[in-house]
Amino acid sequence: MSDVVVIGGGVIGLTLAYELAGRGVAVTVLDQGPMGQESSWAGAGILPPGNPQQAVTPEARLRAHSHVLWPRLAEQLRTETGIDNGFRRCGGLEIREDGEPEQLDSEIEQWRTEGVDVERLDESGAIGHEPRLGRGLVAAYRLPQMGQVRNPRHLKALIAGCVARGVTLRPGCPVHSFVRLSSGSRVLAVRTLDGELFAGQFVIAGGAWSGRFLSELGCRTASVRPLRGQMALVSSLPPLIRHVVNVGSRYLVPRDDGRVLIGSTEEAVGFDKRNTADGVGELLAFGRRIVPALASATFERAWAGLRPQSPDGLPYLGAVPGASNLFVAAGHFRAGLQLSPITAVALTQLLLGEPTTVDVQPFRVDRERSGH
Ligand SMILES: Cc1cc2nc3c(=O)[nH]c(=O)nc-3n(C[C@H](O)[C@H](O)[C@H](O)COP(=O)(O)OP(=O)(O)OC[C@H]3O[C@@H](n4cnc5c(N)ncnc54)[C@H](O)[C@@H]3O)c2cc1C
């Protein structure tokens, strides 16, 4: 029997399993499909910076701790599995093509307050960093510490790392429900296609699918729903840009091999992962506008993933009220890749009954509901 059963083999469940196994815990990860092929695979892998000493909000603290953990995790995975997950600090540009020149001032101030390096740029400064940007920029800044990870490679590394650490991975094993004590206060097992699986503790890390469990468990305050994000991939050699380029919620992410990811849409269409002509067309038009030379790049492919969105956009990290051995790590929305290292550390500490590195109270499952 495992000490811990993790439901969901995305970046959250796999990083948690890897961390727990590193602490000597016997872990089983169950996924309804293949491991690591949902939102975590579909994402862009943008890792915004942070500074744990000066982060002010609970969310910024999570981001800042992850910022510190990412290089260590990448190195550890490379050592243990031989897989390079492509983590690097490529820097990021935030730009605007229209509106007031001052429109990014409050964001720049916020980064400074958080103790994160930020450079305000005018158009020529931005073009100095990325000569192929289109002209006519009205506002820009640069975050030299912005990072990225090649998430499909990272997932491969996590899967290999979990195997190396003795984690039992069971793809194609959907969890249907929980077997609970009649008082409801403890979960004894999960019901799967292959029968009941008993364990000491359980973690729901089911990404956009976690909402079903939360409502079945009677969590009235918590919910998670899918928000589709479409992505287009183009390539061009030699590489056209070096920085992640953000324009609000749209972005370009350059990989070292000349590929550029263009993302992403935000669509409330349920569990529908199809690409649409409109979605992909808009992304390609956006890419060409920001970097005109992308017009002659090769179109490789498009895909879509389902972001796990909570009402306030923040993850749920903690115990399910009333069930002492059932935990949730879900609802990371647009930030699950970046927040996965600190999520794994904090959940491991909670499961082992240790004080947590970051305060997880603001992320508790029964926090006041806002949004949706
Ligand atoms: C287009 C796009 C771009 C993104 N870009 C970024 C980015 O740049 N940076 C960033 O940090 N984040 C980004 N994200 C968000 C990020 O991908 C997610 O927050 C993160 O992947 C969530 O991880 P997860 O493990 O919770 O979910 P998932 O990766 O979706 O994994 C959940 C797993 O649970 C399994 N599961 C569900 N129900 C069951 C069940 N009943 N039984 C067994 N298994 C089950 C699923 O099959 C799935 O494999 C992006 C997302 C999208 C879609």
Side-chain angles (χ1 to χ4, degrees), residues 241-300:
I241 54 171
R242 295 177 300 119
H243 290 75
V244 170
V245 179
N246 277 294
V247 189
S249 62
R250 290 271 158 98
Y251 47 77
L252 302 175
V253 182
R255 302 302 197 204
D256 278 342
D257 54 10
R259 291 195 167 100
V260 178
L261 281 90
I262 310 176
S264 180
T265 59
E266 290 192 341
E267 302 159 276
V269 289
F271 290 92
D272 177 352
K273 286 194 298 180
R274 283 175 299 177
N275 282 110
T276 61
D278 256 4
V280 176
E282 269 178 40
L283 292 175
L284 293 175
F286 162 78
R288 280 199 309 270
R289 203 173 65 241
I290 301 302
V291 176
L294 281 174
S296 51
T298 306
F299 173 74
E300 291 206 3

Side-chain angles (χ1 to χ4, degrees), residues 7-13 30-34 36-40 42-46 173-175 205-209 212-213 229-231 251 264 305-308 329 332-339:
I7 305 164
V11 75
I12 298 298
L30 308 175
D31 202 292
Q32 59 191 2
Q37 290 296 306
E38 291 293 350
S39 188
S40 306
I46 303 171
C173 186
V175 170
W209 293 263
R212 200 197 91 203
F213 291 118
Q230 300 190 49
M231 195 84 94
Y251 47 77
S264 180
L306 303 173
R307 304 179 187 90
H332 291 72
F333 193 33
R334 299 181 65 115
L337 290 157
Q338 53 162 303
L339 300 182

Side-chain angles (χ1 to χ4, degrees), residues 32-117:
Q32 59 191 2
M35 293 284 156
Q37 290 296 306
E38 291 293 350
S39 188
S40 306
W41 184 93
I46 303 171
L47 309 175
N51 176 344
Q53 272 74 48
Q54 282 179 245
V56 211
T57 63
E59 193 184 1
R61 277 194 285 276
L62 279 189
R63 169 166 38 79
H65 280 280
S66 262
H67 174 78
V68 174
L69 291 169
W70 261 107
R72 289 185 213 161
L73 177 61
E75 188 47 44
Q76 209 170 21
L77 286 169
R78 192 178 10 245
T79 307
E80 290 179 27
T81 70
I83 299 173
D84 177 356
N85 66 9
F87 166 80
R88 62 190 174 93
R89 300 249 196 253
C90 54
L93 290 178
E94 185 76 49
I95 62 170
R96 292 292 181 275
E97 307 157 276
D98 44 42
E100 298 303 315
E102 303 79 27
Q103 64 188 297
L104 293 175
D105 286 4
S106 59
E107 280 184 34
I108 294 172
E109 200 42 48
Q110 187 57 39
W111 287 114
R112 290 206 173 115
T113 310
E114 280 191 29
V116 170
D117 286 348

